[in-house]
Amino acid sequence: MARSPGAKHNCPLFSRVINWSMCYEVQEVRDDNMDMELFPEPFDVKVADKICEKCRWHYVSKNE
């Protein structure tokens, strides 16, 4: 079952609750599919790489 774009999660990268759409956009920046300048909040991509791969909430389903 896919996540809803409005699903909420306590994000360890930003230390607050975010929706899945924002999480997905972080992944777009990490994958170099979106410019960091377009993202509303600055973050360190190297730090995000470590945190996001441990958290894994950005995946659409738990099986990925």
Side-chain angles (χ1 to χ4, degrees):
M1 182 169 155
R3 292 195 199 285
S4 163
K8 303 220 183 255
H9 173 72
N10 189 15
C11 177
L13 178 63
F14 294 108
S15 299
R16 63 182 172 82
V17 174
I18 66 168
N19 63 27
W20 187 78
S21 297
M22 185 173 179
C23 182
Y24 184 82
E25 288 181 352
V26 168
Q27 307 322 306
E28 290 292 294
V29 172
R30 288 180 57 217
D31 292 339
D32 205 24
N33 294 324
M34 180 175 147
D35 291 333
M36 176 65 85
E37 294 80 26
L38 298 174
F39 198 78
E41 292 181 49
F43 64 91
D44 185 320
V45 174
K46 290 184 181 188
V47 172
D49 287 341
K50 293 177 186 174
I51 291 173
C52 295
E53 284 308 310
K54 185 176 179 184
C55 174
R56 300 179 60 83
W57 194 65
H58 60 280
Y59 289 108
V60 174
S61 70
K62 293 181 181 183
N63 298 328
E64 291 182 74

